[in-house]
Amino acid sequence: MFLCPICRTDLVQSGRTLRCHNGHSFDLAAQGYVNLLPANKMSSKAPGDNAEMVNGRTRFLDSGSYQPLSDALNRTVIALAADSPRILDAGCGEGYYAARLYDALKAAGNAPDFSGIDISKRAVRHAAGRLPEGGFAVASLFELPVAEGSVDICYNIFSPVCAGEFARVLAPGGHFIAVYPAARHLFALKEILYEKPYENEEKSFELEELEIENRERLSYSFTLNSNELIESLFMMTPYYYKTPVDGSRRLAECERLSIEADFWIVTYRRRNGR
Ligand SMILES: C[S@@+](CC[C@H](N)C(=O)[O-])C[C@H]1O[C@@H](n2cnc3c(N)ncnc32)[C@H](O)[C@@H]1O
Ligand SMILES: [Zn+2]
């Protein structure tokens, strides 16, 4: 299912080890995932979301506030999926969407061959725990350890979009689904954090390597009833890295927040001839 990150040939599992025919081997961790990120390609010792961020994300996602997004993703994938689809969650995080999508496909009688990739070892470990039936790897989205044309549906929720890599791994007739923030996404949170909040810029979401098939906007409101959940959501956002002290202080005092979720779900297909 994965490629050797050193020589780019197929990895074959035997027992708890994945091995390529050139003798490079990678052990499965106790939780069932594999680390395919060569040490010399790591920008830091523990790249991606750290333990606190992964825990915050799990707390927030399990509260159900983004379940409508997960349900919409599931509907989109189920409508596009052929029999036994090969699915890749590119930037799977802690596995919330992966586990729910797997269950939805299985319930629809179309159990997938499911893989997930993320650069955060903590996140991948959690994802492998949520979905033991899936294959999960620590790797970079910019150099996927995945064979050309081997994925039917690749999706990406709020993770870096490496369209060239996603187009490379898609099979003919394959689809890529991306979730992006729309204009009003989390505006009430920004109103607390910043003196002058701005709406997100509306973009065309065009990608050179892939052709847009469909755009769906999903907007709804939800309420967070504890500071812990509000802070958990904050930690998941890019604002976490660039909020003035005043804004963080105001958020620390907030115990209840009604807020808008506003997403674009954009479906792409490979361009002709690719
Ligand atoms: C905003 S989070 C989204 C995670 C998940 N899709 C979700 O919505 O819960 C972005 C994810 O991208 C991962 N990430 C960032 N840069 C990456 C890279 N170069 N390769 C793989 N994953 C990366 C982070 O570790 C993090 O889990
Ligand atoms: Zn190898």
Side-chain angles (χ1 to χ4, degrees):
M1 141 208 353
F2 292 121
L3 292 183
C4 172
I6 300 164
C7 67
R8 311 283 300 169
T9 61
D10 287 345
L11 287 173
V12 177
Q13 184 168 349
S14 124
R16 305 285 301 167
T17 302
L18 302 185
R19 197 171 272 115
C20 74
H21 72 90
N22 290 318
H24 303 123
S25 67
F26 304 86
D27 290 338
L28 286 178
Q31 296 82 359
Y33 69 91
V34 62
N35 189 346
L36 298 179
L37 196 62
N40 64 356
K41 295 260 169 87
M42 283 201 236
S43 53
S44 74
K45 251 189 149 182
D49 286 5
N50 63 28
E52 194 194 1
M53 292 162 87
V54 172
N55 291 341
R57 183 174 291 279
T58 298
R59 194 178 306 122
F60 175 79
L61 290 172
D62 282 345
S63 77
S65 297
Y66 279 6
Q67 191 177 315
L69 172 61
S70 168
D71 289 341
L73 174 77
N74 293 354
R75 282 193 300 275
T76 305
V77 172
I78 287 171
L80 293 171
D83 286 351
S84 310
R86 296 162 297 175
I87 297 191
L88 173 66
D89 185 334
C92 61
E94 54 73 78
Y96 172 79
Y97 300 98
R100 294 194 84 248
L101 174 57
Y102 184 91
D103 288 348
L105 277 160
K106 201 169 167 202
N110 197 9
D113 176 350
F114 204 102
S115 312
I117 284 177
D118 198 285
I119 207 162
S120 158
K121 195 200 279 194
R122 282 281 176 174
V124 169
R125 183 185 298 167
H126 196 278
R130 278 205 197 256
L131 183 56
E133 297 89 339
F136 288 91
V138 180
S140 171
L141 298 177
F142 292 87
E143 204 172 349
L144 291 171
V146 177
E148 246 173 83
S150 66
V151 172
D152 298 308
I153 298 178
C154 171
Y155 70 89
N156 176 295
I157 302 176
F158 290 148
S159 297
V161 172
C162 310
E165 271 299 81
F166 301 163
R168 179 183 68 76
V169 302
L170 280 184
H175 306 271
F176 171 59
I177 303 163
V179 176
Y180 305 107
R184 297 284 304 169
H185 189 53
L186 306 184
F187 194 74
L189 180 67
K190 290 197 265 186
E191 281 180 314
I192 296 176
L193 298 174
Y194 303 117
E195 301 291 339
K196 260 201 204 165
Y198 294 103
E199 290 194 348
N200 296 319
E201 196 188 327
E202 286 293 8
K203 298 184 184 151
S204 71
F205 306 119
E206 300 283 351
L207 297 172
E208 203 179 307
E209 299 84 349
L210 295 154
E211 188 176 359
I212 294 181
E213 286 181 285
N214 188 46
R215 289 188 186 89
E216 178 191 343
R217 190 164 184 172
L218 173 68
S219 311
Y220 60 91
S221 296
F222 61 96
T223 301
L224 298 175
N225 281 313
S226 74
N227 183 260
E228 193 183 34
L229 278 179
I230 295 167
E231 295 280 356
S232 299
L233 172 61
F234 175 47
M235 229 189 291
M236 287 168 50
T237 66
Y239 323 126
Y240 182 61
Y241 300 99
K242 48 183 183 200
T243 290
V245 183
D246 285 4
S248 304
R249 204 175 297 134
R250 282 194 294 274
L251 198 72
E253 286 163 9
C254 186
E255 292 295 336
R256 189 167 191 279
L257 185 62
S258 287
I259 188 163
E260 290 155 275
D262 194 8
F263 305 106
W264 280 112
I265 303 170
V266 183
T267 306
Y268 302 82
R269 66 176 147 240
R270 287 179 14 146
R271 286 197 191 276
N272 281 343
R274 275 185 177 268

